[in-house]
């Protein structure tokens, strides 16, 4: 009969690996001749279903008995479907486990030896976030300009407000000013010059009247 022992190494002197689905090696031993064959467990790195894959590997190799430390429920079902006997609780080396089985020191197991957690679990997560921000900003700008002859100033203010959290605000103000300088007025002429112009105009008018009189003749 071929016996499969889960092992940490590929020899009879290697320790029994207590894991079945994720053991490091399978050592298949002929119980009559004690000849053995070792192979790495191909399902050791499986993301899921390692126990089922390991059970299929053992069945494909034609083992009639599995000796290990613990077996999970999925592996129990798969091995049970192939009529492979499951023996748990082995310790020591592979050679020791075979001797313990032959001497009747190990008992066959028909149910999982890995505790299965049962119960109800519920998780409730709630998160609430409330954020409010109030910001007020004031901006004041004043500007004045002076120019020759006259000047007018224009001032404007711009304010920006930013608020974060609860009633935190920052305000910034900017003022712009510009000056406008009008064209200076023509300066007034002296009185003497005006009198001369008046006299010149009066002389012109006298000449014009004289010509008019000549034309009428």
């Amino acid at each position: 009969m071929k016996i499969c022992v889960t092992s940490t190494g590929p020899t009879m002197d290697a320790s029994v690996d207590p894991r079945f689905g994720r053991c490091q090696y399978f050592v298949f031993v002929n119980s009559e001749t004690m000849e053995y064959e070792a192979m790495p467990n191909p399902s050791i790195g499986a993301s899921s279903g390692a126990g089922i894959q390991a059970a299929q590997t053992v069945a494909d190799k034609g083992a009639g008995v599995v000796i290990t430390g613990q077996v999970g429920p999925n592996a129990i079902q798969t091995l049970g479907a192939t009529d492979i006997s499951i023996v748990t609780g082995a310790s020591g080396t592979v050679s020791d486990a075979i001797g313990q089985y032959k001497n009747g020191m190990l008992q066959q197991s028909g149910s999982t030896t890995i505790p299965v957690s049962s119960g109800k679990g519920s998780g409730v997560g709630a998160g609430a976030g409330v954020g409010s921000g109030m910001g007020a900003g004031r901006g004041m700008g004043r500007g004045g300009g002076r120019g020759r002859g006259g000047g007018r100033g224009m001032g404007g203010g711009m304010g920006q407000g930013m608020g974060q959290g609860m009633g935190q605000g920052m305000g910034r103000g900017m003022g712009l000013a510009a000056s406008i300088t009008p064209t200076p007025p023509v300066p007034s002429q002296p009185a003497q010059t005006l009198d001369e112009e008046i006299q010149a105009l009066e002389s012109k008018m006298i000449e014009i009247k004289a010509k008019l009189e000549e034309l009428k003749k």
Side-chain angles (χ1 to χ4, degrees):
M1 180 176 61
K2 184 179 288 188
I3 301 173
C4 174
V5 183
T6 57
S7 171
T8 59
T11 66
M12 294 288 287
D13 294 330
S15 299
V16 174
D17 195 326
R19 303 167 298 177
F20 174 71
R22 297 188 185 278
C23 67
Q24 298 183 49
Y25 287 88
F26 292 119
V27 179
F28 298 93
V29 182
N30 187 317
S31 59
E32 297 177 359
T33 63
M34 294 302 291
E35 294 180 353
Y36 70 92
E37 174 189 2
M39 66 173 291
N41 178 10
S43 60
I44 188 172
S47 58
S48 61
I52 296 175
Q53 296 178 37
Q56 291 174 345
T57 299
V58 172
D60 291 342
K61 296 295 289 185
V65 178
V66 169
I67 300 177
T68 185
Q70 297 178 337
V71 183
N74 293 333
I76 286 284
Q77 282 188 332
T78 305
L79 292 171
T82 58
D83 295 329
I84 297 176
S85 300
I86 305 167
V87 177
T88 59
S91 60
T93 64
V94 174
S95 180
D96 292 337
I98 296 294
Q100 293 169 9
Y101 174 71
K102 286 184 174 181
N103 295 328
M105 299 173 63
L106 299 177
Q107 296 182 354
Q108 182 175 337
S109 175
S111 60
T112 178
T113 55
I114 298 177
V116 179
S117 59
S118 62
K120 298 180 179 180
S122 62
V124 178
V130 178
S132 62
M134 296 169 55
R138 294 182 179 178
M140 299 177 61
R142 294 181 181 178
R146 293 182 181 179
R148 295 180 62 186
R152 289 186 294 178
M154 295 175 58
M158 295 190 301
Q160 297 179 351
M162 298 173 58
Q164 297 180 349
M166 298 290 293
Q168 295 181 355
M170 296 192 305
R172 293 187 298 179
M174 298 174 61
L176 301 175
S179 62
I180 301 176
T181 304
T183 304
V186 178
S188 60
Q189 297 179 352
Q192 183 178 0
T193 304
L194 290 175
D195 291 340
E196 292 177 354
E197 289 186 359
I198 292 172
Q199 290 178 2
L201 289 173
E202 287 178 349
S203 297
K204 291 282 185 181
M205 290 179 67
I206 292 171
E207 292 178 1
I208 292 171
K209 285 182 180 181
K211 288 187 177 185
L212 287 174
E213 290 295 334
E214 290 179 359
L215 290 174
K216 287 180 180 180
K217 295 177 179 180

